[in-house]
DNA sequence: ACTTTTGTTAACCATTTGGTTAATTATATG
DNA sequence: CATATAATTAACCAAATGGTTAACAAAAGT
């Protein structure tokens, strides 16, 4: 009854291959043949399991972009104080990116190049929870006199900028600072606490 | 005697067109025909003036990437105090990006996708001046007890992250915050002072 | 057992793409 | 003016690319 016979192992292989190739080369740079090769299947199978390149890409993109929105809502609802919430978010967000270092650039780039591909609706579905609550928490903390006044949008931008940008700029950072792969990992590990403290230091009253 | 006849106006038109197309679509997404169309010339002219796609791209890329390294060395040599140097750098750097909002993403993306294309040597040529001096200034300020101890690399990362990342993440920011083009420009304008004060607030003793 | 459905393959196809060629026009230059 | 040189064009080409087809193998259903 299941639309695709037994174990659908091939579908998995295709998705894994597609994920690698798309993330490495982007939509326009990826070749269907590359994906087929990496999946060790015939190119025709790609179109058997997925309509065409765009469909396959959209699937991978949305799956990947989803990782950029961990479920911070629980965290926002927790009874941690505001500063500890920042500490938690920064640490776990950088951790997510350490585990998937290529996705920020991939997502940002494809969003710019293919504005149509239906990510507006996709993200608008994901959005409401976290950003709204975080904004509210910032405004509360300002009212309570816990932190200096700041436009919440700027604070959020600052936070995500410092978390994500170093991964996007990694090749340039390596060249400009002479840092190598291992040291880079160490630096990113350090940032899990450093960035939060940097922010808190700046806004605390 | 000049290798190319009269005014070489065509060469300019090609470069302008190539700049637009490459920045918008990237190396792999750009089509030589698009460039020719935008330049209002025959496709063969592209190869008459520039060997091939890669050559043309390399030219555009290096020219564009160069803009990401304004001449901050003079600024570092000036007699401004450390905090004012940060203020100046942030303001003028964000200004540069406001004038060329697409280049950070373009440069970062192409550096990731085409690590070979010879940007290592290119950037290593540009590098020594600014980063070295800024690092030194940070270390001095720490020794002088002007700011709290911090690894200079992290401070530099934080600064450039907050300057550049919002432009890279613009499409996502617009979706997540509901901000529109004009408000976005306003926000970025605000950041010219906000980011510097955010940093100074965090590190000053 | 046999028939239908699902999975897989090799060969094929049309279009796109980067690049070339040979002929033509414009521009200097003696 | 004549002629060499530079600029430009249309037509062409081979390779790459996304996608299809038709035939075949493997399961599943009866």
């Amino acid at each position: 009854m299941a639309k695709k016979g037994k174990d659908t192992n091939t579908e998995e292989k295709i998705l894994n291959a597609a994920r690698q190739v798309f993330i490495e080369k982007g939509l326009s740079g990826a070749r269907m043949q590359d994906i087929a090769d990496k999946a060790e299947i015939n190119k025709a199978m790609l179109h058997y399991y997925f309509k065409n390149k765009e469909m396959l890409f959209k699937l991978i993109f949305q799956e990947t972009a989803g990782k950029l929105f961990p479920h911070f809502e629980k965290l926002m609802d927790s009874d941690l104080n505001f500063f500890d919430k920042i500490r938690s978010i920064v640490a776990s967000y950088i951790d997510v990116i350490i585990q998937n270092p290529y996705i920020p650039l991939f997502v940002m780039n494809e969003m710019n190049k293919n504005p149509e591909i239906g990510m507006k609706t996709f993200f608008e579905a994901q959005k409401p929870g976290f950003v709204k609550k975080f904004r509210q928490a910032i405004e509360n903390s300002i009212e309570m006199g816990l932190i200096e006044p700041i436009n919440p949008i700027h604070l959020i931008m600052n936070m995500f900028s410092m978390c994500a940008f170093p991964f996007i700029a990694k090749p340039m950072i390596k060249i400009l600072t002479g840092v190598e792969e291992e040291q880079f990992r160490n630096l990113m590990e350090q940032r899990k606490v450093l960035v939060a403290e940097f922010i808190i230091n700046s806004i605390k009253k």
Side-chain angles (χ1 to χ4, degrees), chain A residues 15 27 29 48 56 61 65 73 80 85 87 97 99 119 121 126 151 160-161 167-168 171 175 188 203-205:
Chain A
L15 286 171
L27 171 56
Y48 180 73
L56 185 52
F61 175 82
E73 278 138 288
L80 288 175
K85 279 177 183 166
R87 289 187 182 100
I97 308 184
Q99 248 77 55
M119 30 197 104
T121 56
Q126 306 262 53
N151 179 339
F160 285 108
S161 296
F167 295 88
I168 290 174
I175 291 173
M188 294 309 115
I203 60 176
K204 72 155 182 279
K205 232 167 192 162

Side-chain angles (χ1 to χ4, degrees), chain A residues 3-5 10 14 43-51:
Chain A
K3 203 186 170 194
K4 310 258 165 72
T10 307
I14 293 176
K43 187 163 61 105
M45 298 290 344
L46 296 178
H47 298 88
Y48 180 73
Y49 283 93
F50 306 93
K51 191 177 184 344

Side-chain angles (χ1 to χ4, degrees), chain A residues 72-204:
Chain A
F72 287 151
E73 278 138 288
K74 311 154 191 173
L75 214 160
M76 291 309 299
D77 291 332
S78 76
D79 57 357
L80 288 175
N81 69 55
F82 182 65
F83 292 153
D84 281 342
K85 279 177 183 166
I86 290 182
R87 289 187 182 100
S88 297
I89 291 173
V90 167
S92 59
Y93 198 63
I94 292 181
D95 229 18
V96 166
I97 308 184
I98 286 176
Q99 248 77 55
N100 308 274
Y102 8 73
I103 75 177
L105 181 55
F106 171 68
V107 172
M108 300 305 160
N109 192 46
E110 298 301 331
M111 281 187 78
N112 264 280
K113 303 250 165 82
N114 314 84
E116 59 311 328
I117 214 150
M119 30 197 104
K120 279 161 206 154
T121 56
F122 172 68
F123 280 113
E124 264 154 10
Q126 306 262 53
K127 142 188 167 189
F130 165 67
V131 174
K132 212 169 185 174
K133 283 179 180 169
F134 196 41
R135 265 170 101 149
Q136 194 59 55
I138 294 169
E139 273 156 16
N140 286 346
S141 300
I142 293 172
E143 275 172 39
M144 289 165 53
L146 185 67
I147 64 173
E148 299 284 349
I150 183 172
N151 179 339
I153 294 185
H154 282 303
L155 181 49
I156 296 174
M157 275 185 190
N158 289 353
M159 188 175 82
F160 285 108
S161 296
M162 287 189 279
C163 289
F165 183 77
F167 295 88
I168 290 174
K170 180 173 161 184
M172 179 161 294
I173 290 170
K174 285 170 98 169
I175 291 173
L176 292 181
T177 66
V179 160
E180 286 306 327
E181 192 57 34
E182 200 199 324
Q183 308 170 50
F184 185 83
R185 283 187 65 93
N186 288 341
L187 286 170
M188 294 309 115
E189 205 60 46
Q190 292 167 16
R191 289 180 77 76
K192 290 202 280 184
V193 311
L194 185 143
V195 167
E197 299 310 323
F198 190 90
I199 293 171
I200 292 168
N201 238 340
S202 181
I203 60 176
K204 72 155 182 279

